Amino acid sequence: MKFFADTADTAAIQDLEDSGLLDGVTTNPSIIAKSGANFLERIAEIAKICKGPVSAEVAATDFDTMMKEADKLAAIADNIVVKLPLTEDGLKVCKKLSDKNVMTNVTLCFSAGQALLAAKAGATYISPFVGRLDDISHDGLQLIEDIVTIYDNYGFETEVLVASVRHPMHIIDAAKIGADVMTCPPSVIKQLYKHPLTDKGLAAFVDDWAKTGQSIL
Ligand code: E4P
């Protein structure tokens, strides 16, 4: 499973990049607004830090303006993925970009039918939002299972990018289903390292090693 960081925080992205475990980055207009950064400059910075795909979202909602924005975003760096909303116009843009071999990430997917349309439009990634579905008492992970099954049935190459991931169990369950990618805040990736028995066991090993009075170096 590929790990994408859902953030525009360059320090956090650099930290994850240094771990060797980061496969890509996703952003959205809310994340950019929260960062207070200049969008185009920040995306260019992120695309330099992270060698993997970096999703940058269009701001317009009509076909003509989204096409212009997409061309501008794609020109920033070779690893830019143009993020598009799952609307009729968004998928029209997706098809045009896919025909030009520009990577796309279709976002705000909340149903299997929408995911089917995105795959037919040639999306590189489809982003179903599990957390936001859970928030309204729908089963976000069931949607992931449905999309993975449908894409496998027809051999669609669109990768399932599990988005709106809120906690480690979302990641584990999505991995069990076989989703290609997940994106989440860096803090959630950090939670994966944690287990109380690891901390307890390590503390005991450190104490017992000290009792030996030895040094490896
Ligand atoms: C990713 O592409 C999405 O923009 C993001 O995961 C949404 O997460 P949220 O529902 O926690 O805002």
Side-chain angles (χ1 to χ4, degrees):
M1 174 183 251
K2 290 177 219 166
F3 278 17
F4 287 4
D6 200 24
T7 185
D9 178 338
T10 47
I13 293 166
Q14 183 67 63
D15 175 55
L16 287 169
E17 181 69 21
D18 292 345
S19 74
L21 303 179
L22 185 66
D23 299 298
V25 173
T26 52
T27 61
N28 64 37
S30 306
I31 287 171
I32 294 295
K34 194 174 158 201
S35 75
N38 174 283
F39 176 44
L40 299 176
E41 286 172 13
R42 182 56 62 92
I43 290 295
E45 281 174 61
I46 294 171
K48 273 194 193 131
I49 298 169
C50 175
K51 307 292 168 257
V54 173
S55 289
E57 189 160 342
V58 295
T61 56
D62 67 285
F63 175 81
D64 289 334
T65 319
M66 276 194 279
M67 276 304 293
K68 286 181 196 145
E69 290 180 348
D71 287 342
K72 190 162 179 179
L73 293 174
I76 293 175
D78 288 345
N79 54 338
I80 295 295
V81 177
V82 178
K83 204 170 173 191
L84 301 159
L86 208 156
T87 59
E88 283 195 45
D89 276 7
L91 291 190
K92 260 195 227 171
V93 176
C94 179
K95 182 73 179 74
K96 292 275 181 209
L97 296 181
S98 154
D99 290 345
K100 293 198 286 184
N101 288 322
V102 173
M103 293 187 287
T104 52
N105 175 359
V106 175
T107 190
L108 293 168
C109 172
F110 293 96
S111 78
Q114 290 179 320
L116 189 50
L117 289 171
K120 287 177 71 66
T124 313
Y125 302 99
I126 180 69
S127 286
F129 280 35
V130 293
R132 292 193 196 184
L133 277 171
D134 289 354
D135 288 346
I136 59 159
S137 304
H138 284 241
D139 188 346
L141 267 306
Q142 182 60 54
L143 175 60
I144 302 305
E145 201 167 328
D146 290 348
I147 297 172
V148 168
T149 302
I150 289 168
Y151 282 10
D152 283 352
N153 284 347
Y154 294 97
F156 283 122
E157 288 177 8
T158 301
E159 293 192 35
V160 180
L161 195 175
V162 182
S164 189
V165 164
R166 303 274 172 78
H167 49 70
M169 282 316 295
H170 274 152
I171 301 174
I172 303 307
D173 288 337
K176 280 157 78 176
I177 292 165
D180 304 284
V181 193
M182 73 83 202
T183 191
C184 68
S187 59
V188 178
I189 295 177
K190 295 282 181 182
Q191 284 179 56
L192 286 175
Y193 286 96
K194 292 290 174 195
H195 196 286
L197 290 180
T198 303
D199 296 340
K200 190 177 168 198
L202 183 59
F205 286 159
V206 167
D207 280 354
D208 289 342
W209 177 249
K211 287 177 202 156
T212 69
Q214 299 177 49
S215 164
I216 295 174
L217 300 177

